Amino acid sequence: MIEKLPEELTTGDAEIDSQHLKFITYLEELRLCCSHENKKQARLIFVKFLEHIINHFAFEELVMLKIQYPIDKFEVHRQEHADLQRCYLEKFRRILSGKFQVQEVLDIFEDNFYNHLLTSDKEFIDFIQSRQLRIQP
C-alpha cells in the first residue's frame, strides 16, 4: 500500500494531501478485492470510498466558501465534484453487475481523480497559496 502521496500530486496542504492519499488507498484496496473476486468486501470498501469522497468534497467546498474563493470557480469545482460522485457510483454499479471490467473502471476512477487533482484542485490550492491563506475547515 502507498504510504506517501507522490510528489506530483501533493498540494502543499497536509489535510488535503492526507485526504487524497486515503482516496488512493481505497482505490488500491478496491483493486485488490476485485482482483480476488471478493464482491462482498469490494462493496464494503466502496461504501467507505464513497463516504470519504463525499466528506472530502464537502471539506474542500467549505474551505472554498470560507476563503471566499471566486464564486464562478467554486460553482465549476462543485459541479466537478458532483459529476465525479455520479461517475464513481454508476461505474461501480456496473462492476457489480458484471457489465464492466474491474481494471477498466478503476483506471477511469484514477484518471478522473488525477485529472481533477492536477487541474481544479491545483487551481484552488494556488489561490490559497497566492494569498498566503491557511486551510481551516
Side-chain angles (χ1 to χ4, degrees), residues 19 23 46-62 81-82 84-86 88-89:
Q19 291 179 17
F23 175 90
F46 186 75
V47 167
K48 290 179 184 179
F49 165 84
L50 198 55
E51 287 173 351
H52 177 72
I53 290 299
I54 291 167
N55 290 332
H56 170 69
F57 290 166
F59 172 82
E60 278 189 0
E61 291 166 14
L62 179 60
H81 286 167
L84 285 169
Q85 286 178 22
R86 217 174 359 268
Y88 294 149
L89 190 55

Side-chain angles (χ1 to χ4, degrees), residues 42-134:
R43 280 187 187 101
L44 294 173
I45 292 171
F46 186 75
V47 167
K48 290 179 184 179
F49 165 84
L50 198 55
E51 287 173 351
H52 177 72
I53 290 299
I54 291 167
N55 290 332
H56 170 69
F57 290 166
F59 172 82
E60 278 189 0
E61 291 166 14
L62 179 60
V63 169
M64 287 177 189
L65 291 172
K66 285 187 172 189
I67 65 168
Q68 298 179 340
Y69 193 58
I71 194 68
D72 57 327
K73 292 180 181 185
F74 170 78
E75 290 298 336
V76 168
H77 203 112
R78 186 170 64 169
Q79 186 59 52
E80 286 181 20
H81 286 167
D83 293 345
L84 285 169
Q85 286 178 22
R86 217 174 359 268
C87 171
Y88 294 149
L89 190 55
E90 174 58 29
K91 298 289 189 253
F92 192 72
R93 283 182 182 146
R94 297 186 83 170
I95 286 175
L96 294 177
S97 69
K99 294 179 182 175
F100 257 95
Q101 294 293 330
V102 171
Q103 184 66 39
E104 179 184 353
V105 171
L106 293 177
D107 288 346
I108 290 169
F109 283 7
E110 286 179 352
D111 289 347
N112 287 344
F113 168 71
Y114 293 141
N115 181 56
H116 178 75
L117 181 71
L118 294 170
T119 57
S120 299
D121 277 0
K122 180 168 180 2
E123 183 178 8
F124 164 53
I125 294 300
D126 288 349
F127 176 87
I128 290 170
Q129 291 174 344
S130 72
R131 286 158 180 78
Q132 298 179 334
L133 301 170
R134 291 181 36 173

